Amino acid sequence: MSTTSTISKKSAVADPEQVSETMPKRKKMTVPAFTAAKGGKPLVCLTAYTAHVAHIVDEQADMILVGDSLGMVIHGMPNTLGVTMEHMIMHGQAVMRGAEKALVVVDMPFGSFEESPEVAFRNAARLIKETGCTAVKLEGGREMAPTIRHLTNRGIPVMAHVGLMPQQMNTAGGFKAVREKDQFDEVVKDAQAVEEAGAFSVVVEGVAVRLANKITKSVGIPTIGIGASVECDGQILVFEDMIGLFPRVPTFVKRYGNMEEMMRDAVERYSSEVRARKFPSDDYTYKMKTD
Ligand code: KIV
């Protein structure tokens, strides 16, 4: 591991002059710019939970979500319900140390916003003050509209989340995708209600292609899909799922790498070299200064 404690913001740029000639300079993504991207080039979004991953993702992503899926993919929880404000703040702070250009959004964990708009404001303000993130995300449709209105009226940008809502898994009886035609209108109404309440964008999770198309056409804010087809204004995946570092693979996850295999291989080779006294060899050993 490197002993450098801060993330170099420039490490991705080998020759700044050459890069500026060939690539348009990326500006810091703002909430109004994100909303204005509706219907344009698809928005690229990913989760990140550590500073260095945020630094890597930031090179491409328009938005980085510090999602409560961190409870499952980082902390080994069976679902997201046990995630606390302290988890979100600690990972939010780490991500903010690595991100430079992308819009950083932090999820409101289960139990931190449902009770009342006032409780939601207190917790959302804490996420923003203690992490430095720009916006919060919360799960819920029409029932959360008054809370979204309360937050946005007081300076807190909100990304909403409709369709499959993992925090409602106990009432839904599991992680259930929305695929029945008679459920479609309810989800469209949810998306319209959160837009009307002031949400700047909405995550649409686990819905059939036709419903994703209907929602995207019915709202003026960007729809960010996860398991919601190409019919959305942007896409998001959980980073650990996408790089092959988490064993559960839902239908909608495409693995763009197999990090688990690479890590297992590295641990195996290290172990056998330690056991054979091959590591550390001379190359990895301090010599006396007078040698
Ligand atoms: O927590 C999370 O990772 C999320 C995404 C599934 C959008 O909410």
Side-chain angles (χ1 to χ4, degrees), residues 47 49 65 67-69 107 137 139 161 203 205 226 236 238:
T47 65
Y49 301 136
L65 174 70
D68 62 355
S69 58
D107 240 346
K137 176 169 86 59
E139 291 182 17
H161 183 150
V203 166
E205 179 165 358
I226 176 160
I236 187 162
V238 173

Side-chain angles (χ1 to χ4, degrees), residues 1-281:
M1 192 187 140
S2 160
T3 50
T4 311
S5 60
T6 52
I7 304 278
S8 162
K9 303 277 185 195
K10 293 207 173 75
S11 64
V13 179
D15 178 348
E17 275 174 31
Q18 197 184 350
V19 170
S20 64
E21 271 172 29
T22 55
M23 287 166 71
K25 271 210 181 98
R26 269 179 75 216
K27 284 203 227 132
K28 167 107 185 95
M29 179 60 83
T30 62
V31 164
F34 195 86
T35 301
K38 166 92 185 168
K41 253 205 200 150
L43 288 156
V44 176
C45 311
L46 271 171
T47 65
Y49 301 136
T50 60
H52 195 61
V53 167
H55 183 60
I56 294 167
V57 169
D58 189 71
E59 289 168 17
Q60 296 289 335
D62 298 301
M63 187 274 271
I64 297 177
L65 174 70
V66 185
D68 62 355
S69 58
L70 64 82
M72 298 170 76
V73 300
I74 303 291
H75 293 276
M77 298 175 182
N79 54 53
T80 57
L81 302 179
V83 175
T84 64
M85 284 289 292
E86 284 64 34
H87 288 126
M88 300 313 300
I89 289 167
M90 181 177 285
H91 289 282
Q93 288 170 340
V95 166
M96 286 301 293
R97 289 181 201 115
E100 193 184 4
K101 302 279 187 206
L103 183 70
V104 178
V105 179
V106 177
D107 240 346
M108 299 202 70
F110 179 65
S112 71
F113 62 96
E114 302 88 334
E115 190 179 336
S116 68
E118 290 74 21
V119 169
F121 181 82
R122 198 170 311 129
N123 284 317
R126 198 175 155 212
L127 290 176
I128 287 184
K129 273 177 190 288
E130 295 187 31
T131 69
C133 72
T134 300
V136 299
K137 176 169 86 59
L138 59 84
E139 291 182 17
R142 281 160 288 173
E143 74 287 5
M144 278 303 141
T147 296
I148 294 172
R149 169 63 59 214
H150 190 82
L151 299 187
T152 54
N153 278 350
R154 287 161 179 77
I156 299 184
V158 177
M159 175 173 261
H161 183 150
V162 301
L164 190 165
M165 291 180 269
Q167 292 177 5
Q168 299 194 9
M169 60 161 297
N170 284 332
T171 41
F175 298 120
K176 304 268 191 234
V178 187
R179 302 165 73 182
E180 306 288 343
K181 206 162 171 258
D182 62 4
Q183 299 173 295
F184 287 11
D185 282 351
E186 298 301 299
V187 186
V188 171
K189 282 184 200 156
D190 280 342
Q192 288 172 330
V194 298
E195 176 185 19
E196 173 65 27
F200 72 91
S201 175
V202 58
V203 166
V204 179
E205 179 165 358
V207 306
V209 183
R210 269 174 62 188
L211 175 54
N213 174 281
K214 241 179 144 182
I215 296 170
T216 300
K217 282 189 184 149
S218 323
V219 296
I221 53 175
T223 53
I224 306 300
I226 176 160
S229 84
V230 79
E231 297 290 334
C232 293
D233 298 300
Q235 298 294 326
I236 187 162
L237 281 177
V238 173
F239 182 76
E240 283 70 11
D241 288 343
M242 196 264 302
I243 62 164
L245 192 54
F246 193 64
R248 174 202 62 137
V249 193
T251 319
F252 57 81
V253 169
K254 178 170 177 183
R255 284 184 154 174
Y256 287 84
N258 193 341
M259 286 304 288
E260 186 163 332
E261 206 171 283
M262 283 180 67
M263 288 165 82
R264 187 162 284 124
D265 177 62
V267 172
E268 265 172 32
R269 286 189 295 118
Y270 164 76
S271 305
S272 64
E273 288 192 9
V274 168
R275 289 187 183 114
R277 292 193 190 279
K278 281 191 182 164
F279 177 82
S281 60

